[in-house]
Amino acid sequence: MFKKGSKLYSIFTGCCPKCHEESMFINKNPYILSQALDMHDTCSNCGTKYKIEPSFFYGSMYVSYAVGIAFAVAAFVISFFVFNAGIDTVFISIVGTLIICMPIILRLSRNIWINFFMSYDKSLAKK
Ligand SMILES: [Zn+2]
């Protein structure tokens, strides 16, 4: 499922959506907050331009809403059903999860967004 060539591979590793050979992000660590969203302009392997049009990644805001909900539901399920926490604690755990995971959510939504528009192309991968 996570093999090279599947969209999930590109989404979870943040690599180029066309050749899956290198990371789109300049710094691999999303928690270096000043560089969390710094991306290369083009892929050095296949030359794909990541920003298809100006402000392309604004669209990933729609995706980040869905991804944020997924994280919030996960936090709810874990704290409410696994730890049997009270409603206050559940609320704090959801807010905490969203804040702590924000860099990951932002990057994941960018990866999902760009994968809506580009697909893996075997001929562009390194031989
Ligand atoms: Zn590429």
Side-chain angles (χ1 to χ4, degrees), residues 7-119:
K7 282 197 186 286
L8 286 177
Y9 178 84
S10 172
I11 287 170
F12 285 107
T13 58
C15 62
C16 168
K18 281 215 166 161
C19 68
H20 291 189
E21 289 294 340
E22 64 154 48
S23 176
M24 293 191 287
F25 297 96
I26 290 171
N27 196 321
K28 279 209 160 189
N29 183 354
Y31 283 95
I32 311 290
L33 291 180
S34 59
Q35 295 182 313
L37 293 178
D38 287 353
M39 299 173 81
H40 295 286
D41 290 330
T42 57
C43 173
S44 70
N45 180 54
C46 68
T48 299
K49 201 174 158 207
Y50 297 135
K51 230 177 173 181
I52 306 172
E53 55 190 25
S55 312
F56 171 65
F57 284 107
Y58 276 94
S60 69
M61 283 192 299
Y62 305 114
V63 181
S64 88
Y65 179 73
V67 176
I69 295 291
F71 274 72
V73 168
F76 170 77
V77 168
I78 290 170
S79 55
F80 191 75
F81 291 109
V82 178
F83 293 108
N84 284 318
I87 202 74
D88 303 352
T89 318
V90 169
F91 178 74
I92 291 168
S93 75
I94 290 174
V95 172
T97 304
L98 287 179
I99 292 173
I100 291 168
C101 295
M102 187 48 80
I104 296 173
I105 294 172
L106 289 175
R107 281 198 174 187
L108 263 183
S109 38
R110 283 194 171 207
N111 297 344
I112 293 171
W113 182 247
I114 197 168
N115 271 285
F116 279 142
F117 299 93
M118 296 181 186
S119 294

